[in-house]
Amino acid sequence: SGSTAQSGDSRQSGGAAATKPRAEDSDLLPAALAPDPSLKADFQRDPATGELTAMVYGPESGLTRSVTIWTPPDFDPNSGTVYDVLVFSHGYPGSDKGNVNALRIAELYERLRAAGHVRPFIFVTPNVAMDGAPPTCVDIEGSAKVETFATRDLVRVLRSTFPHLATHREGWMLAGISAGGYCAPVLALRHNDTFLGAMSMGGVDAPEFGPLANSGPELAQRFTISTMLENLQGPPVHMFFAGTKEEQGSLRLVTNVVGKGRPGDEIATHLDETGGHS
């Protein structure tokens, strides 16, 4: 396997960002995503899995979706511990269920925390499978407002429900696999005022499903990840793209993003020598 990375020097530390006056704090989450007590969701712990689940209503998108959350073993929302948030985009077909086990999140978390590689975080998966329709990732006329739900409604609901989530974008990341491995980077690049970046596993560069793929080459090119990286504006992004040399889709994505981005952006890639879509 091989990995490459290009790193800038503009990433702020959480401590430095936290000391800035609010008016000067460019890393603070947008004011429009502030908590609202009326948006608090009733998450219940599943006795079989230990995960938190709720049907979450998004007032901006008008969608009500199932959301599953994995929390660390010592999670205590009232302890004062600040938790980062990793929002995960499932594949197609897929749902919010089963991802924690498939990715071995509990095992990985313990290992990474013990090594000091991650801060305390929660792992959040919204179900954006709209009656089996191909995923669109972005709000587009005639389709459900999945983008608004995932990047605005869900953020506000989470912040309204759990009092000690990160208040800065460096504490919010997107990740995804397969179709979600395309969606997560697209949403992170479109909303880099909210998310520090994204991790993509087995994704593709250009849209393959739904209206984005079927509304002409101009729209498809606009939402091609490598093109979006070339035209990026706003704060620095930190992106990780993983794939395998035996799968053409993820190989093309990883190859196409190398060298993209601006000074200060971080684009890291990883390719396994062998393996399928995983």
Side-chain angles (χ1 to χ4, degrees), residues 27-29 82 159 165-169 172:
D27 194 52
L28 199 67
L29 291 176
V82 175
R159 297 187 70 198
L165 298 185
T167 58
H168 291 73
R169 66 183 283 269
W172 291 75

Side-chain angles (χ1 to χ4, degrees), residues 34 36 40 62 84 107 124 151 168 192 207 224 234 239 241 259 267:
D36 179 345
K40 184 176 181 179
D84 290 343
E107 172 192 331
V124 182
T151 63
H168 291 73
N192 61 338
T224 294
M239 314 291 288
F241 297 94
I267 312 298

Side-chain angles (χ1 to χ4, degrees), residues 35-184:
D36 179 345
S38 69
L39 296 178
K40 184 176 181 179
D42 184 21
F43 281 92
Q44 299 293 318
R45 197 166 292 279
D46 185 328
T49 65
E51 298 163 5
L52 297 171
T53 60
M55 295 301 296
V56 170
Y57 171 67
E60 277 196 64
S61 66
L63 299 178
T64 299
R65 308 304 304 159
S66 176
V67 176
T68 294
I69 301 177
W70 175 88
T71 59
D74 58 353
F75 177 74
D76 181 355
N78 299 309
S79 68
T81 298
V82 175
Y83 293 90
D84 290 343
V85 183
L86 179 59
V87 179
F88 182 75
S89 297
H90 58 73
Y92 171 69
S95 76
D96 55 321
K97 308 300 182 184
N99 301 291
V100 170
N101 282 340
L103 294 169
R104 305 195 307 279
I105 294 298
E107 172 192 331
L108 292 170
Y109 177 86
E110 291 300 327
R111 193 167 72 204
L112 294 171
R113 280 289 291 152
H117 293 315
V118 295
R119 300 180 299 218
F121 71 84
I122 64 173
F123 178 87
V124 182
T125 306
N127 184 339
V128 292
M130 307 305 296
D131 298 323
T136 62
C137 301
V138 301
D139 294 350
I140 190 168
E141 187 175 355
S143 298
K145 294 183 177 181
V146 169
E147 177 180 13
T148 295
F149 182 86
T151 63
R152 295 184 61 84
D153 288 334
L154 181 60
V155 174
R156 293 196 71 200
V157 167
L158 292 172
R159 297 187 70 198
S160 302
T161 304
F162 304 102
H164 295 297
L165 298 185
T167 58
H168 291 73
R169 66 183 283 269
E170 76 159 13
W172 291 75
M173 288 283 290
L174 291 160
I177 189 166
S178 190
Y182 167 77
C183 290

